[in-house]
Amino acid sequence: MREVRSLPVPEGLAGMRADAAVSRLFGVSRAVAADLAAAGDVLVAGAPVTKSTRFKEGDWLEVTLPEPPEPLAAEPAAEVAGMDILYSDADVIAVNKPVGVAAHPTVGWEGPTVTAGLKAAGFRISTSGPLERKGIVQRLDVGTSGVMIVAASERGYSKLKRAFRERTVKKTYHALVQGHPDPFSGTIDAPIARHPKHGWRFAVVQGGKPAVTHYRTLEAFPEATLLEVHLETGRTHQIRVHMSSLRHPCVGDPMYGGDPVLAERLGLNHQWLHAVCLGFEHPASGKWTQIRAPYPADLEHALEVIRR
């Protein structure tokens, strides 16, 4: 059964085309949003609109969303080994996501997910968002560990989603990269898009989406450097792509130029990249909240080896 969603157009989407606004609001692709408009499934004040109609703040929007593939719509609860709950209340759940776990179900992914793990642990997740990723306000790559937050309430979803969109969330990562970046601290401001020849990965591409990464050196070793990284934007694989563009890929990341010999010596089968802290205004109190996640055992071991 297709889901019908109704809400006023929020301030941040005023003046935006219908296809772009529906894409951003409901997590569907822009092409799917355009198809919905063409089929008469996007209504403003009860009347169908075209994909190029400009929205006004406060307009009453009604969208009939496409039905997701059955496996995504009906994800069963399933325990996730090693996924620790770092914090929870009526609006926010924070987990320490292990490597090898996806944020939510996707076509072709048959492994564990954060959403299934939270269901199994008895947590309520917000009903806001696309069917297959309700409550998800941010994502970490399958191969990246660390703190990830999920909305537990509709209020939490709305306010956290806006905070990520407006870039008021402070996202801090630690990354072990090959060699020694010069300068030791700096900013990478380079647009990112799919690689023009290899669409399964991303690259710095002229005309891509804006991407800004700040980094500073925490420790330097003969073969590698431990960095603290702050993201202004949240592009797919942003840290991995930006560090690779400087010819300092994350250790253990062969997709973006990591040395497999070094990775094997350190006992790594994925990139050394960990989301150590998220800071945000709490959806209920407005109080600044910071949640930290300790390194997993394999990243700790790799650091111990390289420090020797």
Side-chain angles (χ1 to χ4, degrees), residues 22-221:
V22 169
S23 172
R24 180 171 294 186
L25 272 173
F26 302 109
V28 298
S29 71
R30 193 158 174 172
V32 167
D35 289 342
L36 291 175
D41 290 329
V42 180
L43 309 179
V44 171
V49 298
T50 69
K51 66 179 182 180
S52 57
T53 299
R54 301 281 177 175
F55 284 168
K56 297 178 182 178
E57 181 185 354
D59 279 350
W60 193 257
L61 174 65
E62 183 177 303
V63 177
T64 303
L65 295 170
E67 190 167 355
E70 183 61 26
L72 304 188
E75 180 189 32
E79 291 186 8
V80 175
M83 189 178 82
D84 298 324
I85 305 300
L86 300 172
Y87 174 87
S88 68
D89 61 26
D91 296 289
V92 178
I93 308 163
V95 304
N96 190 358
K97 187 190 83 67
V99 165
V101 178
H104 58 78
T106 56
V107 175
W109 175 254
E110 298 181 354
T113 66
V114 170
T115 48
L118 289 176
K119 287 182 184 179
F123 285 93
R124 179 193 185 273
I125 301 173
S126 168
T127 59
S128 299
L131 283 176
E132 73 275 16
R133 55 179 190 266
K134 287 184 181 295
I136 296 294
V137 294
Q138 59 141 164
R139 289 175 285 183
L140 292 178
D141 293 343
V142 170
T144 300
S145 57
V147 58
M148 177 182 150
I149 56 175
V150 178
S153 68
E154 283 60 54
R155 172 178 61 184
Y157 182 88
S158 175
K159 292 192 174 182
L160 289 170
K161 199 69 174 172
R162 174 180 291 184
F164 277 99
R165 184 170 62 248
E166 295 178 351
R167 302 179 186 176
T168 60
V169 177
K170 186 176 181 181
K171 298 173 279 189
T172 306
Y173 293 74
H174 286 181
L176 185 67
V177 302
Q178 292 177 199
H180 307 102
D182 184 13
F184 290 148
S185 299
T187 296
I188 308 167
D189 186 349
I192 291 176
R194 287 199 178 272
H195 194 286
K197 295 183 180 178
H198 308 289
W200 42 271
R201 62 188 177 98
F202 292 78
V204 170
V205 177
Q206 187 174 2
K209 293 182 178 179
V212 180
T213 301
H214 306 283
Y215 71 90
R216 71 180 184 93
T217 295
L218 296 176
E219 290 185 73
F221 314 104

